[in-house]
Every structure is written in C-alpha cells, then in structure tokens.
Amino acid sequence: MKGEEIDFQQLDRNSIIALLGAHSSLEKELFQKADAVKKRETGNKVYFRGLIEFSNICGKDCYYCGIRKSNTFVERFNLTDDEITNAAKFALHENYASIVLQSGELTSKSFILRIDRLLKKIHQLTSGKLRITLSVGEQTDDTYKRWFDSGAHRYLLRIEASNNELYRKIHPWDGKHQHLTRLKALELLKKIGYQTGTGVMIGLPFQTISDLADDLLFMKNFEIDMVGMGPYIEHHHTPLFEFRYSLLPLNERLKLTLRMIAILRLLMPKINIAAATALQAIDKMGREKALKTGANVIMPNITPGKYRNNYKLYDNKPCTDENPEDCTNCLETRIAMTGNEIGLGDWGDSLQFYKNRSSNKSFDPNIKNI
Ligand code: SAH
Ligand code: SF4
C-alpha cells in the first residue's frame, strides 16, 4: 500500500498493518504526522512519572520476565516504607508531580494493607500534591476500590498481548495467568474510575504484525487513557530465552515500537503515551526518539540505586548504576534536544480520561494542578 492510499485520519486494520511494515519514506511521513498530532492535542510538554520499583517479589511466573517466581537466581528485595516515602518526597522535591509504585504481583492481605497504608502516608507527607499510579498486577474489585479510595488515581496493567492464543504461549497454564482475568481486571479499573493504562510487549516470539495491529485496535476500542508499550527484550533466565533466535533484531524491535507509538497517537490523539524504559536498553536515545514520534510521558527511575540491579525484568536494563539525581539531570538535556519541554509541577492527567469521563470520581476539575 502506498502512502497516498493511506487515510491517516481514519486508519483501518489494513492501513495499520501497512504502516507497521512501512518503507522509509512512508515511515517518515507517519512519524511527522504523529508528532504534529501530539503537539496539536497535548502540546509539547513531556510529563515525568517518578518510577519506584519497590519490590521484585512476585507470585507469578510469566515466561518472559526476569523476576518471575521460579527464577531462583534473583536476589529478592523489598524497600522499607521509609525508603518508599523518601523516594516519593524526592519526586515532589524534583517537581515531578507524579509517581508510579511498581512491583511483582502479590495478593496477600499484608500486601494489600501495605499499599493502602503507603498511599495514605505518601499523600499525607506530600500534602496531596502527587498523582499516584499503581502497577502491581491483577487484584480483586474490592482491593482496587480500596486503593482508589486511599488515593491511587491511575493504574497500569499491560494486557501484554490482546490475542488470547499468544497470551497463552507466553504464560504458564496454571490457573494464575488467564487472559480473561487480565481483561476483566482492566474493566474493573476503568469502572472504578482509575485513569487506566495498558500496553503490550513488541517483538515477542510467536507475535505477528497482525497481532500488533489488533493490539492497537484493542486499545482504541477499550478507550484506554494511557499506554506504555515497549520492545520485548529477552532475559537469559526465563523460559522464552530459548526462542531468542526467532526474534527480530533489537534495532527492528525498536523501529517497530516507534511505529506502534506513532500509529497509536494517530488513533488516539488525546491519550498519554509513555516512552518505555526498555527502549533505552536498545538505543541510548530510544526514549527520546519515542518523544519525537508521539510519546509524551517519561518515567525516570527513582528507586534507590542499591536495589536497581535486582529489578531486572530483561537483560541490559539501563540506568542501573545511576542515582535518581543523575537521571533527572541527563533527562533535562535530552528532552530539550527533542524540541519538547518538561511539564514540571504539572500532573499531566490523560486528556482522554477527561474527555470521556469528566464526571468520574477521580477527576475533579476544581482541583488545580500544583
Ligand atoms: N507485576 C506487574 C508490574 C511489573 S512488570 C505486572 O506484571 O503487571 C511490568 C511490565 O514489565 C510487564 O507488564 C511487562 O510488560 C514488562 N516486562 C516484563 N518482562 C519483560 C521483558 N523481558 N521485556 C520487556 N518488558 C518486560
Ligand atoms: Fe511478576 Fe509482573 Fe514479571 Fe509477570 S511481568 S512475573 S507478574 S513482575
């Protein structure tokens, strides 16, 4: 399909597939259009989310993930409440305005109560000035509601693969990794009133270009508020590692991710799209490239340095030797280079969420951004 035959305003499945495999001049046009739509709809601000990877203890066994339960080579860690609240205070001090609490998935009573306690404590210590995103996996309706009431405003739960068959191939069939459960969890989050985020890994073994096109259409049909999607990167202590020879080269996975981001920006002009950290594992400027092709969010890692090496979801995870302060400095310069500016002190809520669900509990237009 030639560029002139593609209606960029009304992308259907066939044109998405064509764009995912586009030749370079069409790719250039796609990237330019996505950047223009991003600037028109969300401005040239890039919002920061301070990422706190507070524990690598996980009850699940996803075949792709380096911190899966059965990986006995991993030294497990769990930050103390003080370490977490100090990281949150650091984010406020740096004017990030938002944090993400991420960990392996646990569903024990003590874990649920701990998150609840942390949410309240962080809001109290930061005078309610931070937007808090959770990314701690599948939980019950009651748990999601409880955390929402305690001040979690956003939730990230990647569908990983919208194709049920593909999902089955990358997870064990043990009753704990069901596609339908994940989908239901996303629906619960949306219904409760969270700004809901999802995403997929790009370049997985067994994944086709049509799967990726369907992933994008899934996000659109679901009317998702935020997306974080990045390249799949193999980890040597995981079951999927044996399929490494069937994978696209890393630079192709990077390219495909940038195209996915650009197409998604055209399909959903008002959502927040994160430039995933995994992009940086492939190319030092990978995230910055994503900021030029439609992404508008970046998640600097503010986990205390000594724990970073143990939160390795994939090989070559970047920034593991740095301290949070280093990340802020290097990012400021890099973002200016992309023609964007940092939306410091601004919550940067998803405009899609505002558009669709302005009556929603978690969005109060009377609350001014800090
Ligand atoms: N336990 C939570 C959150 C932490 S994992 C959850 O699973 O939802 C966060 C994300 O890391 C996952 O959603 C997955 O998409 C991504 N991830 C895991 N292993 C990866 C790998 N090998 N390459 C790229 N991304 C990976
Ligand atoms: Fe656990 Fe999340 Fe990794 Fe799956 S992807 S093993 S749930 S940390």
Side-chain angles (χ1 to χ4, degrees):
M1 194 181 286
K2 290 202 191 86
E4 49 275 21
E5 291 171 21
I6 289 183
D7 179 357
F8 283 91
Q9 312 277 341
Q10 292 267 304
L11 293 173
D12 59 13
R13 190 169 183 270
N14 283 342
S15 359
I16 294 172
I17 291 172
L19 285 174
L20 286 171
H23 53 80
S24 55
S25 62
L26 184 53
E27 181 185 77
K28 204 168 159 206
E29 192 181 350
L30 166 66
F31 288 170
Q32 278 167 352
K33 286 205 157 50
D35 193 37
V37 168
K38 180 195 114 172
K39 293 220 165 92
R40 187 189 72 214
E41 299 289 336
T42 67
N44 70 341
K45 282 206 176 144
V46 173
Y47 299 107
F48 276 13
R49 320 293 188 214
L51 175 63
I52 309 170
E53 297 165 334
F54 67 92
S55 169
N56 64 356
I57 303 170
C58 187
K60 288 176 94 173
D61 244 338
C62 307
Y63 285 157
Y64 41 85
C65 179
I67 62 169
R68 62 197 295 271
K69 185 182 175 185
S70 300
N71 184 5
T72 51
F73 295 96
V74 178
E75 198 185 317
R76 303 288 164 174
F77 74 88
N78 197 356
L79 262 66
T80 63
D81 284 8
D82 280 350
E83 283 169 326
I84 298 172
T85 51
N86 282 340
K89 282 194 264 178
F90 169 81
L92 185 70
H93 175 259
E94 295 286 304
N95 237 346
Y96 284 4
S98 290
I99 56 168
V100 180
L101 296 179
Q102 190 179 80
S103 73
E105 181 180 310
L106 295 176
T107 49
S108 60
K109 190 83 192 159
S110 60
F111 182 79
I112 294 165
L113 294 178
R114 181 179 194 214
I115 299 285
D116 203 53
R117 190 172 67 235
L118 278 166
L119 288 165
K120 290 177 183 151
K121 207 164 170 187
I122 292 170
H123 279 309
Q124 186 204 343
L125 289 171
T126 59
S127 314
K129 288 180 176 168
L130 290 177
R131 278 285 199 232
I132 307 179
T133 306
L134 292 178
S135 176
V136 295
E138 293 159 33
Q139 306 287 339
T140 63
D141 191 21
D142 281 351
T143 303
Y144 284 149
K145 276 190 188 136
R146 178 182 196 136
W147 291 343
F148 184 82
D149 290 339
S150 297
H153 312 101
R154 306 176 180 145
Y155 206 103
L156 294 176
L157 186 76
R158 286 184 172 180
I159 190 73
E160 315 295 3
S162 61
N163 177 344
N164 178 25
E165 295 292 309
L166 176 58
Y167 192 89
R168 278 280 295 272
K169 289 181 186 156
I170 59 171
H171 295 96
W173 188 243
D174 60 358
K176 280 207 268 176
H177 302 77
Q178 313 248 34
H179 196 243
L180 194 60
T181 313
R182 202 143 182 103
L183 197 57
K184 288 249 159 73
L186 270 177
E187 278 163 4
L188 288 176
L189 290 164
K190 196 171 166 189
K191 201 159 143 243
I192 291 167
Y194 281 94
Q195 290 180 41
T196 308
T198 197
V200 293
M201 282 170 287
I202 297 157
L204 283 163
F206 326 116
Q207 189 182 48
T208 64
I209 289 288
S210 314
D211 287 332
L212 289 171
D214 290 336
D215 287 338
L216 294 174
L217 291 170
F218 165 80
M219 292 167 200
K220 183 168 168 68
N221 293 335
F222 193 89
E223 295 188 318
I224 204 76
D225 303 309
M226 326 179 284
V227 169
M229 53 184 172
Y232 161 70
I233 301 177
E234 56 274 34
H235 186 290
H236 59 292
H237 283 138
T238 57
L240 283 194
F241 194 61
E242 71 171 282
F243 301 101
R244 63 193 175 281
Y245 300 114
S246 68
L247 300 174
L248 285 172
L250 282 171
N251 64 333
E252 290 293 322
R253 279 179 254 168
L254 173 92
K255 228 186 207 185
L256 207 46
T257 302
L258 297 177
R259 288 174 183 183
M260 287 283 284
I261 289 173
I263 299 167
L264 185 65
R265 175 57 69 197
L266 297 178
L267 288 171
M268 306 192 75
K270 291 192 185 301
I271 62 170
N272 279 343
I273 305 179
T277 313
L279 284 164
Q280 207 191 347
I282 298 182
D283 177 339
K284 272 196 157 56
M285 295 299 282
R287 287 185 304 179
E288 290 72 11
K289 286 181 181 166
L291 294 177
K292 282 180 150 178
T293 63
N296 67 329
V297 166
I298 214 158
M299 293 162 62
N301 194 335
I302 57 166
T303 311
K306 62 179 169 169
Y307 297 106
R308 303 253 195 114
N309 273 327
N310 293 335
Y311 198 87
K312 285 214 164 155
L313 306 173
Y314 44 84
D315 291 336
N316 298 325
K317 189 164 172 250
C319 243
T320 44
D321 299 329
E322 294 172 7
N323 284 316
E325 293 82 356
D326 299 332
C327 272
T328 313
N329 292 340
C330 68
L331 274 172
E332 263 171 19
T333 326
R334 284 150 162 239
I335 285 165
M337 280 161 66
T338 67
N340 288 289
E341 61 182 72
I342 309 173
L344 285 175
D346 196 328
W347 279 332
D349 282 322
S350 164
L351 299 175
Q352 174 77 27
F353 175 84
Y354 182 34
K355 181 178 156 218
N356 285 347
R357 290 173 279 156
S358 53
S359 59
N360 209 301
K361 275 201 272 172
S362 97
F363 183 84
D364 182 348
N366 296 318
I367 297 175
K368 292 224 163 42
N369 280 3
I370 55 172

